[in-house]
């Protein structure tokens, strides 16, 4: 048997299992990579509502990253909810100490679908020095608008950008990959049936892409394969909690 590449999720714990570490772990397993996890925050939430959030100390988060990366050959990392720009920066720094070539995907969750705030917007201006150290960021259309308005989009020659189309009013479901100055449209599968809204869909997509990068796929192929994965997830059932297959 071929050994699976190691991937780590640095994200929040969602007891519903729809988002965060539990969701990422399910995605990694289905994507045939070895999934590790480090918790950034403990949340109390259901598929429809986030009730509370408790951030873990950044020193504990980075220590856990160092232990995992010191023991396992982690080739890719997915980052989920983070407290602020400094929190993100220290995670990235810790990861790159463990492996200078690690591919890092950040899903910039600024707030939940139910409007529960995660990221401290006051620290947005500090993001610029961090994003260009990443491999890919995956904002939805609303988050992309916030980053663009604040001149915080990454240098496309250093960090790729995947603008998710799930919140677009025009061309719903069409994603845009910006890589090395080139834009590539990722259109929905014509054969797909009706999509159902899903809790944690952004987590699933970003972790599926991270898994593909760990397996050595190019950025475009990883994003295309991740899109196929999320389309199956979105059509898996009518409830807010999707299933992985």
């Amino acid at each position: 048997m071929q050994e699976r590449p190691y991937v780590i999720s640095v994200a929040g714990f969602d007891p519903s299992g729809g988002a965060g570490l539990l969701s990422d772990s399910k995605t990694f397993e289905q994507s045939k990579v070895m999934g590790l996890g480090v918790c950034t925050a403990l949340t109390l939430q259901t598929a429809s509502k986030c009730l509370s959030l408790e951030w873990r100390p950044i020193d504990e988060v980075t220590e856990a990253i160092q232990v995992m990366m010191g023991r396992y050959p982690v080739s890719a990392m997915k980052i989920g909810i983070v407290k602020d720009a400094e929190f993100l920066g220290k995670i990235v720094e810790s990861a790159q100490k463990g492996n200078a070539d690690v591919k890092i995907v950040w899903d910039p969750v600024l707030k939940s679908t139910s409007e529960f705030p995660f990221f401290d917007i006051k620290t947005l201006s500090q993001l610029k020095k961090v994003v260009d150290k990443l491999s890919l960021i995956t904002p939805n259309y609303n988050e992309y608008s916030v980053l663009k308005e604040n001149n915080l989009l990454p240098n496309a020659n250093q960090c790729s950008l995947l603008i998710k189309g799930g919140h677009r009013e025009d061309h719903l479901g069409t994603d845009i990959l910006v890589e090395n100055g080139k834009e590539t449209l990722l259109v929905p599968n014509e054969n797909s049936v009706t999509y159902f809204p899903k809790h944690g869909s952004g987590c699933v997509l970003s972790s599926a892409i991270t898994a593909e990068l760990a397996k050595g796929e190019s950025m475009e192929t990883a994003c295309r394969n991740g899109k196929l994965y999320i389309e199956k997830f979105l059509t898996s059932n009518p409830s807010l909690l999707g299933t992985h297959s």
Side-chain angles (χ1 to χ4, degrees):
M1 288 180 65
Q2 185 176 3
E3 186 175 349
R4 294 184 176 195
Y6 283 84
V7 182
I8 188 167
S9 169
V10 183
F13 176 77
D14 167 14
S16 80
L21 287 172
L22 292 178
S23 177
D24 293 348
S25 179
K26 296 172 189 176
T27 306
F28 291 156
E29 189 67 21
Q30 288 294 335
S31 300
K32 295 181 169 51
V33 296
M34 292 292 288
L36 310 174
V38 172
C39 184
T40 57
L42 297 173
T43 74
L44 177 57
Q45 58 182 309
T46 64
S48 59
K49 189 174 183 180
C50 186
L51 302 168
S52 67
L53 171 70
E54 178 186 343
W55 293 107
R56 291 193 63 218
I58 186 60
D59 290 347
E60 292 182 13
V61 174
T62 54
E63 180 184 9
I65 292 170
Q66 289 163 12
V67 169
M68 291 297 102
M69 295 190 72
R71 174 63 182 83
Y72 304 103
V74 175
S75 56
M77 170 183 285
K78 173 262 172 83
I79 302 175
I81 60 169
V82 291
K83 185 178 182 180
D84 52 33
E86 182 182 10
F87 203 95
L88 175 64
K90 289 188 175 180
I91 289 171
V92 172
E93 181 183 352
S94 184
Q96 292 176 334
K97 275 184 182 176
N99 176 3
D101 298 320
V102 66
K103 296 177 175 66
I104 304 177
V105 176
W106 179 41
D107 183 25
V109 185
L110 304 183
K111 57 186 177 182
S112 72
T113 305
S114 59
E115 298 296 309
F116 190 97
F118 290 132
F119 189 87
D120 184 355
I121 298 295
K122 295 175 187 174
T123 71
L124 267 178
S125 61
Q126 302 169 35
L127 268 181
K128 188 59 180 171
K129 58 187 178 184
V130 182
V131 290
D132 288 340
K133 297 178 182 178
L134 306 172
S135 304
L136 173 72
I137 63 172
T138 60
N140 62 34
Y141 211 66
N142 298 332
E143 290 157 347
Y144 164 74
S145 298
V146 171
L147 295 174
K148 185 178 181 182
E149 287 167 11
N150 289 275
N151 195 30
L152 295 172
L153 296 177
N155 179 334
N157 292 313
Q158 295 176 268
C159 172
S160 300
L161 171 69
L162 181 67
I163 308 162
K164 297 178 292 192
H167 290 75
R168 294 181 63 163
E169 293 182 4
D170 62 330
H171 307 297
L172 184 67
T174 295
D175 305 332
I176 303 172
L177 173 64
V178 184
E179 181 188 14
N180 297 324
K182 184 181 83 168
E183 289 191 2
T184 302
L185 295 182
L186 307 181
V187 299
N189 184 352
E190 292 180 0
N191 297 322
S192 291
V193 292
T194 304
Y195 295 132
F196 301 105
K198 288 285 178 285
H199 173 52
S201 56
C203 300
V204 173
L205 175 61
S206 56
S207 54
I209 293 170
T210 305
E212 294 299 313
L213 291 173
K215 291 188 286 188
E217 299 291 356
S218 68
M219 185 61 71
E220 182 178 338
T221 299
C223 289
R224 288 189 183 280
N225 290 347
K227 190 170 184 65
L228 291 174
Y229 190 104
I230 194 64
E231 286 179 338
K232 284 185 181 179
F233 182 77
L234 291 172
T235 57
S236 62
N237 64 55
S239 79
L240 286 174
L241 288 177
T243 52
H244 299 252
S245 61

